[in-house]
Structures are given as C-alpha cells and as structure tokens.
Amino acid sequence: MVTTPLAQRQSAGHRSIAVTAEDLAVVTGLFGRGGWYDLEQQGLRCIIMRS
C-alpha cells in the first residue's frame, strides 16, 4: 500500500514530491491486482496493489 500526493493537484512548489498519472500507471502495471482511493479532495491518493 502506498499513500502519495498527486502532482496535478499540487501547487507548483510541491509537485516535485508528488507522482504523476504516468508514474502511477507504471507502478500499478507491475502488479496483478490493485486499486486506488482518493483520501482527500486536494489530491492524497492511497494505492493498494497485490501480486
């Protein structure tokens, strides 16, 4: 399980600590099952993956 801010929902000064939609596609593509849940409207996402 990973919890991360999303780059597109962060201010310019905080984008470097967040992941992009492309980053998430690469990571989740490595696992057989998984899903994601938005924890905050400002862009905090929880990603759950299983092999």
Side-chain angles (χ1 to χ4, degrees):
M1 180 170 71
V2 176
T3 304
T4 184
L6 297 175
Q8 66 268 26
R9 295 186 186 167
Q10 302 303 311
S11 64
H14 289 104
R15 286 191 186 130
S16 65
I17 64 167
V19 297
T20 65
E22 292 81 14
D23 295 332
L24 289 175
V26 169
V27 172
T28 56
L30 300 173
F31 292 84
R33 297 186 303 174
W36 54 267
Y37 307 91
D38 286 336
L39 301 176
E40 295 178 351
Q41 290 181 342
Q42 293 80 17
L44 187 61
R45 183 165 282 178
C46 177
I47 304 141
I48 301 169
M49 299 165 283
R50 294 188 74 172
S51 56

